[in-house]
Amino acid sequence: MLRMLICHLREILLMKNSMNLFKIIFTKTFALITGYKFIIPDYSKGERVTIEIPGNLYSKRNDYTSYAHMLIEDFHNSIMPVLRINDNSKFEVRINPQNSEVEESIKEAISSDGRSLNLNDAVCDFVREATQQIFYYGSASYEIIQDEDGMELVRINPWSVVKISDSFFQIINRVIAKKIKIKPKVINLSGDKIFYVSMPKKLSSSKRLHRMLGRLVKISDPILPKFALESLELDEGIEFDQKQFWALREIQILRMTKKLGWNGRGISSDKLLEYYNIYKLLQFHKAKALIREAIFIELNRVFKNIYDIDMVISGLPTSNRIDELISKMKNGNIAFADIVNEVLPQNNA
């Protein structure tokens, strides 16, 4: 209900955007109806307009363990080459037209720790960070802050950001507002000032991803099911095939992560045909390529708007190229060794 009201009122506001009196009436009315203060920020000051909220303040925070944690870690660690270690990587970022000052500004904008050696290094670090956010929260959100010294991408807690059509809002609900000792707020965020990317639809939705990770935690934690453990404690002698239980659990884990191509760090690999192992490898790299491409597209949009440049990425397999490899493999037109040699070295995975 609140989301619909925000959307409708925002459309009215945009039609009357030049009328300061209308803005005052609008925000006061919104606060009276909903109890939330509606904020229309002034970006010209070059200051942060979103509110920083620690993730641990949300009761629905995700404490992913076991196989869920391993899946996220494997995507985070291998989605980009680690250039400080892998000197042979062919990965490269170029901006067109070339401009050393703009390149340095972009590097500083996306370097969260300020330790990136160059633009290639900064992009790799940023993509890894954004990928981790996408898996944990369903999306990665940053506010674009510009002032006379340059620009910066500042992380926003994704659980506080709501995307309605092409509009963005940071909602500080009553529970969070009480915890950080402010009044409930809705901040109307300009799309030009927000970097936002979510899990590609070809792979999953945020809700399905969250549900799948939760199931991974649930299915992978117990060494034995509860009834078997209770039987051992009571010395009831119930027959239980532990190997069969683990085998079925491995099958279920592979089923749940099938679209992502994850192999559960090799579980059951010795029981699968070489063809299917290679197919899963390609699916895993395709999933990473789709996530990378979604992040690159959004980065390009942001820097095109600000600097009027195009960011060109090379040296990593694209999702289209991996589709070609899958097609060739299905038709028997490529050797398994050629697939492995093309995909593995470049992604450092």
Side-chain angles (χ1 to χ4, degrees), residues 42-61:
D42 180 6
Y43 287 98
S44 63
K45 296 179 180 179
E47 300 172 349
R48 177 171 184 162
V49 302
T50 55
I51 296 174
E52 185 176 359
I53 307 170
N56 61 7
L57 295 184
Y58 283 86
S59 59
K60 65 176 182 179
R61 68 181 186 274

Side-chain angles (χ1 to χ4, degrees), residues 73-89:
E73 191 174 57
D74 286 353
F75 270 91
H76 170 264
N77 288 339
S78 67
I79 194 162
M80 299 295 288
V82 182
L83 301 181
R84 301 178 185 95
I85 299 173
N86 185 8
D87 295 333
N88 296 322
S89 173

Side-chain angles (χ1 to χ4, degrees), residues 167-180:
S167 303
F168 295 90
F169 304 89
Q170 187 182 31
I171 299 179
I172 315 301
N173 63 40
R174 291 180 174 84
V175 175
I176 297 300
K178 186 176 181 180
K179 289 179 180 179
I180 59 178

Side-chain angles (χ1 to χ4, degrees), residues 21 26 51 62 67 81 130 144-145 150 155 158 188 231 251 266 271 293 297-298 336 345:
L21 178 61
F26 169 83
I51 296 174
N62 300 329
Y67 280 105
I144 304 164
I145 300 176
R155 194 188 306 180
N188 184 191
S231 171
I251 291 171
K271 304 180 185 70
E293 287 160 8
I297 288 170
E298 184 66 356
F336 292 163

Side-chain angles (χ1 to χ4, degrees), residues 61-327:
R61 68 181 186 274
N62 300 329
D63 296 320
Y64 292 129
T65 58
S66 195
Y67 280 105
H69 172 76
M70 285 189 277
L71 182 146
I72 296 171
E73 191 174 57
D74 286 353
F75 270 91
H76 170 264
N77 288 339
S78 67
I79 194 162
M80 299 295 288
V82 182
L83 301 181
R84 301 178 185 95
I85 299 173
N86 185 8
D87 295 333
N88 296 322
S89 173
K90 297 178 182 178
F91 173 72
E92 184 183 13
V93 183
R94 290 180 290 105
I95 60 171
N96 186 25
Q98 279 294 120
N99 186 315
S100 57
E101 290 184 6
V102 170
E103 188 172 309
E104 181 66 20
S105 180
I106 292 174
K107 186 199 83 170
E108 292 299 318
I110 61 178
S111 298
S112 59
D113 57 7
R115 294 183 298 174
S116 298
L117 302 175
N118 49 46
L119 184 58
N120 291 347
D121 203 33
V123 169
C124 287
D125 287 345
F126 182 84
V127 171
R128 276 191 289 270
E129 179 185 286
T131 299
Q132 190 174 50
Q133 284 198 70
I134 290 169
F135 273 92
Y136 269 102
Y137 307 110
S139 63
S141 311
Y142 295 80
E143 181 182 344
I144 304 164
I145 300 176
Q146 290 176 267
D147 57 25
E148 57 186 14
D149 296 324
M151 67 167 295
E152 184 181 4
L153 293 184
V154 178
R155 194 188 306 180
I156 313 170
N157 191 310
W159 279 324
S160 69
V161 177
V162 174
K163 185 175 186 289
I164 303 173
S165 186
D166 294 326
S167 303
F168 295 90
F169 304 89
Q170 187 182 31
I171 299 179
I172 315 301
N173 63 40
R174 291 180 174 84
V175 175
I176 297 300
K178 186 176 181 180
K179 289 179 180 179
I180 59 178
K181 299 178 180 179
I182 63 172
K183 292 183 178 180
K185 303 176 187 292
V186 174
I187 305 174
N188 184 191
L189 304 174
S190 169
D192 292 338
K193 298 296 181 180
I194 297 296
F195 173 102
Y196 180 91
V197 63
S198 57
M199 180 64 77
K201 291 181 180 179
K202 289 183 179 180
L203 296 177
S204 181
S205 67
S206 297
K207 286 184 178 179
R208 287 199 303 270
L209 176 66
H210 176 78
R211 191 161 53 243
M212 183 267 289
L213 290 169
R215 289 175 63 198
L216 274 180
V217 171
K218 191 173 182 180
I219 197 174
S220 57
D221 270 353
I223 299 174
L224 294 174
K226 186 178 179 181
F227 76 87
L229 288 172
E230 290 175 349
S231 171
L232 289 173
E233 290 174 2
L234 298 173
D235 196 24
E236 292 178 344
I238 295 177
E239 290 186 11
F240 180 77
D241 191 333
Q242 186 173 327
K243 288 185 178 180
Q244 182 68 6
F245 169 73
W246 286 348
L248 291 172
R249 184 176 66 173
E250 289 173 358
I251 291 171
Q252 187 64 11
I253 289 169
L254 294 177
R255 280 179 176 172
M256 284 190 289
T257 61
K258 183 178 179 180
K259 268 198 169 183
L260 297 175
W262 189 59
N263 68 0
R265 294 192 177 175
I267 59 171
S268 299
S269 291
D270 58 334
K271 304 180 185 70
L272 303 177
L273 295 175
E274 185 181 11
Y275 178 93
Y276 190 61
N277 274 320
I278 297 296
Y279 177 77
K280 284 189 71 66
L281 174 72
L282 287 173
Q283 286 294 99
F284 181 53
H285 281 272
K286 181 181 177 179
K288 290 189 290 185
L290 287 169
I291 295 169
R292 275 198 307 267
E293 287 160 8
I295 297 170
F296 290 155
I297 288 170
E298 184 66 356
L299 279 175
N300 231 331
R301 181 192 69 83
V302 169
F303 295 127
K304 180 71 173 179
N305 288 342
I306 296 172
Y307 297 113
D308 193 25
I309 57 96
D310 291 307
M311 183 181 286
V312 182
I313 312 292
S314 61
L316 293 174
T318 65
S319 58
N320 287 337
R321 175 55 183 163
I322 294 172
D323 279 337
E324 290 175 7
L325 293 175
I326 292 174
S327 178

Side-chain angles (χ1 to χ4, degrees), residues 81 86 88-90 339-349:
N86 185 8
N88 296 322
S89 173
K90 297 178 182 178
I339 293 174
V340 173
N341 289 335
E342 178 168 346
V343 174
L344 282 180
Q346 295 180 352
N347 240 26
N348 195 34

